Amino acid sequence: QCFVVGEIVKLTAGGDADKADFQPEEVAVLCRTNALVAQFAEFLRGRGVQVAERKRRDTSSDWKRAKLLMTLLANPHSDFAAHAYLVEKLGRAKADVVKREAAKAMTGIAAWCKFGGRNGDAEFSMVSEELSAESRALVHDAARTLSGRGEWSVADLLLYLQSGEADGETVGEGVTVCTVHRSKGKEWPVVFCVGMEEGTFPSSKAVKAGDAAVEEDRRLCFVAATRAKARLCLTRCEARPESRGPNMPPGPMTPRQPSRFISEMGLTP
């Protein structure tokens, strides 16, 4: 991240237009995952680099509850997730009553409320039961988008909704930070493709799934590389913290090997 920031500052002359080779709007940072998008955007802003904002879609009055419901469905045995959802739905006093009743029954809140044990279509029947039509539409739109990319879980859906990828178009001035998926059909003079390690690009999920899934990530890598009009920079980390899923702290740092796509391009990592 520090390297990318340093290079962007050099290319844009730290915001001095008279000395810059490129304007911030001509630079993009492309990431394989939504999590990396959020990390890079936050890091760039923290170092004084202007980042283009995304225009948020209009959301319904119960959208906060919708995201808490996705958290609960992704973590069906979490008392914390179940209680947070009930606080938003019923208010803290009633949620605390449910919590005490579950404790008396010597069971978890989710189990006591029969939130757990659902999967597939049953999870979406719960969405239909619990949320407004506007929120249901946003959730189902996100699910259709993910379905077009292959297999996904409720945890993937939650991350997608939280990441901002379901938002509208990028607006305002600044460096674009987005997923490779969102970069399709667009070009920038300067592109940084980050996270070029095994387990990130290609993703560990793709590697486990087999050749077809890796081929899809290879195609995405081609998409990322061809977004650059003038300069393309591929970066990687020698180690990353293990991912433990949504709303969980990261695990210990683990070594990462360079992405196979780097050598396939004829480059030396």
Side-chain angles (χ1 to χ4, degrees):
Q1 290 176 328
C2 291
F3 171 80
V4 173
V5 169
E7 291 300 302
I8 290 175
V9 170
K10 289 178 187 176
L11 292 168
T12 60
D16 188 341
D18 293 333
K19 299 179 180 179
D21 294 325
F22 300 94
Q23 298 302 307
E25 297 73 37
E26 296 178 302
V27 180
V29 178
L30 305 185
C31 311
R32 176 64 182 85
T33 66
N34 294 311
L36 277 179
V37 169
Q39 291 173 20
F40 262 91
E42 181 180 359
F43 191 84
L44 290 172
R45 291 190 186 100
R47 299 316 186 268
V49 176
Q50 187 176 4
V51 176
E53 301 290 340
R54 288 195 191 132
K55 183 180 179 181
R56 298 198 66 85
R57 290 180 177 178
D58 293 334
T59 54
S60 59
S61 59
D62 68 338
W63 187 237
K64 180 179 179 181
R65 180 153 61 93
K67 290 191 291 186
L68 286 171
L69 177 57
M70 294 300 102
T71 302
L72 173 59
L73 293 176
N75 305 274
H77 304 296
S78 168
D79 274 5
F80 177 82
H83 186 256
Y85 172 71
L86 289 176
V87 167
E88 184 65 24
K89 180 183 179 182
L90 305 175
R92 181 165 296 277
K94 292 183 178 179
D96 287 345
V97 170
V98 174
K99 182 178 180 180
R100 288 194 293 270
E101 291 298 318
K104 289 179 184 177
M106 300 182 68
T107 188
I109 298 173
W112 195 84
C113 294
K114 296 182 172 58
F115 288 152
R118 296 179 181 233
N119 54 61
D121 292 339
E123 288 174 336
F124 278 87
S125 70
M126 185 174 179
V127 171
S128 299
E129 295 164 6
E130 300 286 325
L131 302 180
S132 67
E134 293 83 0
S135 290
R136 290 200 307 270
L138 286 173
V139 172
H140 283 268
D141 283 347
R144 281 193 292 270
T145 298
L146 292 179
S147 294
R149 301 178 183 179
E151 294 184 3
W152 57 274
S153 66
V154 177
D156 296 325
L157 177 63
L158 173 63
L159 187 59
Y160 177 85
L161 292 170
Q162 290 179 330
S163 72
E165 189 171 352
D167 296 347
E169 291 299 311
T170 300
V171 295
E173 299 179 347
V175 174
T176 297
V177 184
C178 68
T179 62
V180 179
H181 281 287
R182 285 185 65 88
S183 74
K184 292 178 180 179
K186 302 174 183 177
E187 290 182 326
W188 296 266
V190 181
V191 169
F192 292 87
C193 185
V194 302
M196 293 294 294
E197 314 105 30
E198 291 291 310
T200 302
F201 207 176
S203 68
S204 55
K205 181 185 292 186
V207 173
K208 291 178 181 176
D211 292 344
V214 172
E215 181 59 32
E216 170 63 15
D217 271 17
R218 183 176 288 109
R219 186 184 65 79
L220 283 175
C221 185
F222 175 81
V223 169
T226 54
R227 298 310 91 197
K229 292 182 179 180
R231 299 189 185 185
L232 171 67
C233 181
L234 309 177
T235 72
R236 66 179 182 88
C237 290
E238 292 186 349
R240 283 191 185 277
E242 292 181 357
S243 174
R244 292 178 172 174
N247 302 319
M248 295 292 288
M253 297 291 288
T254 56
R256 292 292 184 91
Q257 295 298 314
S259 170
R260 68 192 70 185
F261 303 147
I262 297 177
S263 59
E264 290 176 3
M265 292 181 189
L267 304 174
T268 302

